[in-house]
């Protein structure tokens, strides 16, 4: 019999730690720190952002918040949650129809031939199945031997930005999966090497007010 154990200490996410960046009657945008799960994992359903949202909403009208989308555990950034079932369905539809535009900031090492703009369209493998994947990259600035890019994914494949950086630019600083960055096992919080990738903005038409929402935040590094 094989028993899997988490590689990090499970700590309940305290609703007092919620960093709410936007809220109205239907939608909440919350900042997710690095190395925090967006939603429950196979190991726990309390050490994640959605647990904090559930406690914050206190099951209003019996509604249990469902994750509309997720960020990798290692990635920081804005995450959208619905405040009721009708909003949840509306946001799911917007994501499905790709009418929610997401923007990420990332840092990678400088490299020979680095360009100010990339439009990458290729196929990424998922379980032996090839899926189309498209990402736009825009150089924001260069600092010392590092490049700061703004990335806009046009599709939503697993690890899409991280894979495209590895394949066409350079692996993102702190990326232990696709880059040469070792895990720091000296901590018990799971806050090991920081991945310099953050979801920093959304643009979409509010499903109820009809107004264009532009949600922005600074990168978490």
């Amino acid at each position: 019999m094989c028993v899997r154990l988490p590689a990090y200490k499970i700590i309940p996410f305290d609703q007092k730690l919620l960093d709410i960046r936007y809220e109205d009657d239907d939608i909440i945008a919350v900042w997710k720190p690095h190395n925090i799960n967006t939603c429950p994992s196979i190991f726990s359903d309390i050490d994640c952002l959605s647990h904090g949202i559930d406690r914050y909403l206190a099951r209003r009208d019996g509604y249990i918040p469902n994750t509309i989308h997720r960020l990798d555990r290692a990635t920081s950034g804005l995450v959208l949650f619905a405040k009721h079932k009708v909003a949840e369905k509306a946001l799911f539809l917007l994501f499905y129809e790709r009418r929610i535009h997401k923007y990420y900031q990332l840092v990678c090492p400088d490299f020979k031939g680095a360009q100010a703009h990339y439009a990458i369209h290729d196929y990424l493998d998922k379980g032996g199945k090839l899926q189309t994947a498209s990402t736009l990259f825009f150089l924001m600035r260069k600092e010392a031997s590092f490049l700061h890019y703004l990335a806009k994914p046009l599709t939503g494949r697993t690890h899409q930005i991280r894979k495209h950086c590895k394949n066409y630019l350079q692996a993102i600083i702190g990326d232990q999966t696709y880059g040469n960055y070792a895990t720091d096992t000296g901590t018990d919080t799971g806050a090991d090497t920081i991945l310099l990738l953050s979801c920093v903005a959304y643009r979409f038409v509010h499903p109820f007010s009809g107004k264009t929402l532009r949600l922005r935040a600074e990168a978490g590094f």
Side-chain angles (χ1 to χ4, degrees):
M1 179 177 180
C2 180
V3 178
R4 293 182 61 189
L5 297 175
Y8 47 85
K9 185 177 180 179
I10 293 176
I11 302 174
F13 190 92
D14 190 340
Q15 73 175 78
K16 297 178 182 177
L17 300 178
L18 284 176
D19 185 358
I20 298 175
R21 302 298 179 90
Y22 173 83
E23 181 177 5
D24 60 29
D25 292 338
D26 311 296
I27 299 169
I28 306 176
V30 185
W31 182 265
K32 186 188 86 66
H34 294 282
N35 299 311
I36 294 292
N37 290 323
T38 304
C39 54
S41 69
I42 60 173
F43 301 111
S44 173
D45 61 357
I46 62 173
D47 64 335
C48 54
L49 202 62
S50 60
H51 175 71
I53 290 292
D54 189 15
R55 297 289 298 275
Y56 174 73
L57 292 178
R59 301 288 175 94
R60 297 176 191 175
D61 300 321
Y63 174 65
I64 301 175
N66 194 8
T67 307
I68 305 301
H69 67 112
R70 67 183 67 186
L71 297 179
D72 297 337
R73 175 180 170 83
T75 303
S76 64
L78 293 172
V79 179
L80 298 179
F81 287 90
K83 295 179 69 173
H84 52 81
K85 195 65 179 180
V86 177
E88 178 186 308
K89 291 180 179 179
L91 288 175
F92 268 128
L93 181 61
L94 289 178
F95 269 104
Y96 177 77
E97 295 178 343
R98 298 178 182 174
R99 290 192 285 153
I100 293 183
H101 304 278
K102 297 189 293 183
Y103 301 85
Y104 292 73
Q105 286 185 25
L106 64 94
V107 182
C108 69
D110 192 8
F111 60 97
K112 185 178 180 180
Q115 300 178 25
H117 174 259
Y118 290 87
I120 297 172
H121 308 283
D122 68 357
Y123 295 88
L124 297 177
D125 181 88
K126 183 178 182 180
K129 180 180 179 180
L130 292 180
Q131 298 179 322
T132 58
S134 301
T135 312
L136 304 179
F137 291 90
F138 307 91
L139 182 63
M140 299 171 61
R141 65 183 183 278
K142 177 180 177 181
E143 292 182 351
S145 58
F146 300 101
L147 302 175
H148 294 247
Y149 277 95
L150 181 71
K152 183 180 188 300
L154 304 181
T155 52
R157 308 309 182 192
T158 301
H159 292 183
Q160 176 176 313
I161 294 175
R162 296 167 67 179
K163 289 178 179 179
H164 279 169
C165 282
K166 171 64 175 178
N167 294 340
Y168 299 97
L169 288 80
Q170 289 283 301
I172 299 170
I173 297 295
D175 195 330
Q176 298 171 26
T177 302
Y178 303 102
N180 187 24
Y181 298 95
T183 301
D184 175 10
T185 56
T187 68
D188 62 357
T189 63
D192 301 322
T193 302
I194 296 298
L195 174 69
L196 299 192
L197 174 66
S198 288
C199 181
V200 296
Y202 292 88
R203 178 174 56 82
F204 61 97
V205 175
H206 194 290
F208 303 109
S209 72
K211 296 180 179 179
T212 299
L213 280 183
R214 294 179 173 87
L215 308 180
R216 298 185 181 90
E218 294 296 326
F221 43 84

